[in-house]
């Protein structure tokens, strides 16, 4: 996937957009790339579990039932093969916009010397816009503004950004 791009998964409600992005994030990690996963929908721990399950090729149920020593052994083996770093950051729904993400990227760079190779933002429709504060604007223009701001962030930091958006049957 080229840098400086905004890549969107489009699907209906409950189809697995977040699962798809967690799967992609784990694939990037196994390629030795640094991943920043921003979630506005789910808790950081749930995202981490999904990515762990992908990395360990296990179901969520298997992951929870796995004895701690088995889990630690499998994770140690995986860490020897996987050199990418993962940072997951959770924001409350509709509270964060590109300015918040920019501040996070700068903070991670300064404090942890972390530069992501790819960014996942889960998901587009529940981000805020830095340009519009709500009011009398159609949802189309509001989501369009968010997408433009995220694309600008991708260009500024020279990374691909992945996100998702929901659609209805009519929209599909």
């Amino acid at each position: 996937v080229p840098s400086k791009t905004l890549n969107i998964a489009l699907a209906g409600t409950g189809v697995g957009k977040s699962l798809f992005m967690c799967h992609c994030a784990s694939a990037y990690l196994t390629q030795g790339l640094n991943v920043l996963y921003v979630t506005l929908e789910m808790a950081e721990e749930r995202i981490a579990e999904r990515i762990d399950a992908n990395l360990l090729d296990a179901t969520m149920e298997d992951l929870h039932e796995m004895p701690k020593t088995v889990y630690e052994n499998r994770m140690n083996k995986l860490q020897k093969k996987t050199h990418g770093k993962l940072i997951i950051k959770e924001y409350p729904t509709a509270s964060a916009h590109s300015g918040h993400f920019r501040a996070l990227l700068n903070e991670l760079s300064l404090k942890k010397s972390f530069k992501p190779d790819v960014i996942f933002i889960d998901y587009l429709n529940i981000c805020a816009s830095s340009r519009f504060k709500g009011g009398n604007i159609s949802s189309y223009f509001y989501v369009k503004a968010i997408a433009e701001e995220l694309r600008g962030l991708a260009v500024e930091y020279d990374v691909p950004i992945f996100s998702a958006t929901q659609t209805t049957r009519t929209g599909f």
Side-chain angles (χ1 to χ4, degrees), residues 1-162:
V1 176
S3 288
K4 302 179 183 180
T5 57
L6 176 61
N7 306 276
I8 303 293
L10 171 69
T13 307
V15 173
K17 296 176 295 294
S18 296
L19 278 172
F20 168 74
M21 289 196 293
C22 287
H23 175 77
C24 291
S26 64
Y28 277 110
L29 286 167
T30 60
Q31 294 173 37
L33 299 174
N34 292 333
V35 174
L36 173 61
Y37 198 109
V38 174
T39 176
L40 293 104
E41 181 180 39
M42 228 178 282
E44 290 176 9
E45 296 80 12
R46 299 295 78 77
I47 297 297
E49 284 176 338
R50 287 180 172 194
I51 292 173
D52 284 352
N54 267 291
L55 290 169
L56 297 173
D57 196 24
T59 65
M60 293 293 287
E61 187 177 313
D62 290 344
L63 190 65
H64 288 282
E65 294 174 0
M66 193 179 294
K68 186 177 180 182
T69 54
V70 173
Y71 174 82
E72 288 172 347
N73 286 338
R74 289 179 75 179
M75 275 305 213
N76 286 336
K77 286 179 189 172
L78 191 63
Q79 285 176 339
K80 290 176 185 166
K81 294 190 305 187
T82 305
H83 301 290
K85 291 188 174 131
L86 169 67
I87 292 183
I88 302 169
K89 175 65 176 167
E90 177 184 0
Y91 290 97
T93 300
S95 68
H97 54 65
S98 59
H100 295 100
F101 307 145
R102 183 176 290 104
L104 173 63
L105 287 162
N106 291 335
E107 181 181 350
L108 291 172
S109 176
L110 286 170
K111 292 182 178 176
K112 296 190 177 193
S113 298
F114 178 83
K115 182 195 180 303
D117 297 301
V118 61
I119 300 171
F120 291 85
I121 298 177
D122 195 359
Y123 65 93
L124 184 74
N125 295 60
I126 56 177
C127 288
S129 169
S130 63
R131 291 186 281 177
F132 299 108
K133 304 298 177 211
N136 198 12
I137 183 170
S138 76
S139 61
Y140 170 80
F141 286 109
Y142 192 72
V143 173
K144 180 179 181 285
I146 295 167
E148 290 168 349
E149 293 162 20
L150 293 182
R151 168 67 182 25
L153 200 64
V155 170
E156 184 179 340
Y157 286 88
D158 192 24
V159 295
I161 293 180
F162 285 85

